[in-house]
Structure formats: structure tokens, C-alpha cells
């Protein structure tokens, strides 16, 4: 049996444990930084991991401005725009199994919309918060599915 997850069954909580209701997109990627290494014995090339980055991108409806206001208040106070943690979960709707991921140490350092108005557009306006995290942990994993 082949299973496929569609990203519609997603929920996110901020570092206060409050749900972010109108989340549209979450992207958290582990990007290793590597250094080319040549193995002398075989002259084969390989790579050594020397560091990593965890970019975080949250896209939500303008209706969920509470989190954006909080980040902008920190910015105006001369503090780091920081979320201690967010927790995201994906659910397999057919089985009810859930994968939960804890992302910690999120520094928001990319552009944040202050005012966007699109007069001739009928779509909603989105807010994007993006930056980098320091760590992640799977606090709930999907079970092994039998094929």
C-alpha cells in the first residue's frame, strides 16, 4: 500500500504553546555546509560536513498578525526577533498517525511586511516570517508502514 501525505493536515504552535491558526506554509530544511576532501589512498572525492544551517519559513494569513506584532515589538525595543520554539505536526489522515517536530532557537532576520495593500487583487494577503533555527527534534514519528 503506497501512502502519500498532503501538506494540508498541518498544525503549528508558537513558543507559548498557542496555535497559529491560519498557517499556510511551513518550510524547515537542514542545509549541511561541506568541505571537499580527497582521500589519498584512492584519490576519491568526498565531502566532510563542517557546519549546518536550518532555514525556517512560516507563511500565514494576515489575520494571524499577533506573531508578527510580537516580532516587530522586539525589533523596535532593540531586541533580537526570537522564537524559543515552534512545534509542527503532520497527520496521516487515513490512519491518524502523526509526526511532530520541535524546532528551537528561531531567529527571525529576514524582511517582514509592515504594510501591504493590493487594491485590484481578490486574494488574501500573507505574512512571511523567515530566519534560521539552531536545533530540531522529532518528538513524534510516523510508524514504519508496511507496503
Amino acid at each position: 500500500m503506497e501512502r502519500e501525505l498532503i501538506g494540508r493536515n498541518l498544525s503549528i504552535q508558537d513558543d507559548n504553546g498557542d496555535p497559529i491558526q491560519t498557517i499556510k506554509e511551513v518550510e524547515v530544511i537542514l542545509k549541511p555546509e561541506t568541505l571537499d576532501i580527497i582521500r589519498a589512498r584512492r584519490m576519491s572525492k568526498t565531502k566532510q560536513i563542517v557546519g549546518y544551517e536550518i532555514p525556517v519559513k512560516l507563511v500565514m494569513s494576515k489575520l494571524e498578525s499577533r506573531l508578527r506584532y510580537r516580532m516587530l515589538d522586539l525589533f523596535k525595543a532593540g531586541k533580537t526577533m526570537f522564537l524559543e520554539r515552534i512545534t509542527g505536526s503532520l497527520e496521516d489522515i487515513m490512519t491518524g498517525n502523526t509526526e511532530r517536530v520541535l524546532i528551537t532557537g528561531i531567529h527571525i532576520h529576514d524582511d517582514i511586511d509592515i504594510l501591504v495593500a493590493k487594491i485590484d487583487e481578490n486574494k488574501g494577503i500573507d505574512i512571511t516570517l523567515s530566519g534560521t533555527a539552531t536545533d530540531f527534534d522529532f518528538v513524534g514519528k510516523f510508524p514504519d508502514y508496511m507496503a
Side-chain angles (χ1 to χ4, degrees):
M1 171 170 63
E2 191 172 315
R3 302 207 76 90
E4 183 176 335
L5 282 176
I6 301 171
R8 290 189 201 113
N9 305 313
L10 170 71
S11 67
I12 296 287
Q13 295 82 36
D14 65 15
D15 57 350
N16 293 325
D18 298 325
I20 302 172
Q21 300 291 345
T22 55
I23 196 77
K24 292 184 174 184
E25 180 182 338
V26 174
E27 190 173 288
V28 181
I29 300 172
L30 176 65
K31 290 187 172 187
E33 295 174 12
T34 60
L35 180 65
D36 288 337
I37 302 290
I38 297 177
R39 300 285 179 207
R41 198 176 274 180
R42 294 191 181 152
M43 295 301 291
S44 64
K45 282 187 173 181
T46 186
K47 294 190 181 285
Q48 178 178 354
I49 295 176
V50 294
Y52 65 92
E53 182 180 49
I54 305 173
V56 175
K57 177 181 170 186
L58 299 169
V59 179
M60 61 204 82
S61 168
K62 179 76 170 184
L63 299 172
E64 193 64 52
S65 286
R66 155 180 69 86
L67 190 57
R68 179 184 66 125
Y69 293 150
R70 195 167 122 207
M71 293 299 107
L72 291 172
D73 286 345
L74 288 170
F75 174 79
K76 287 184 80 174
K79 297 179 181 175
T80 302
M81 293 185 288
F82 183 74
L83 283 167
E84 189 171 314
R85 66 178 177 85
I86 58 171
T87 307
S89 59
L90 281 173
E91 181 183 356
D92 179 349
I93 203 156
M94 292 181 76
T95 64
N97 293 326
T98 303
E99 176 185 74
R100 295 187 69 228
V101 183
L102 174 66
I103 310 297
T104 55
I106 302 125
H107 291 83
I108 304 297
H109 49 68
D110 289 345
D111 299 345
I112 298 177
D113 295 335
I114 293 182
L115 177 64
V116 175
K118 299 178 182 178
I119 306 304
D120 291 333
E121 201 167 302
N122 253 354
K123 297 188 305 185
I125 296 173
D126 293 340
I127 297 169
T128 301
L129 297 177
S130 51
T132 53
T134 57
D135 202 5
F136 67 94
D137 192 20
F138 287 92
V139 292
K141 296 180 180 180
F142 286 123
D144 291 333
Y145 286 106
M146 303 284 287

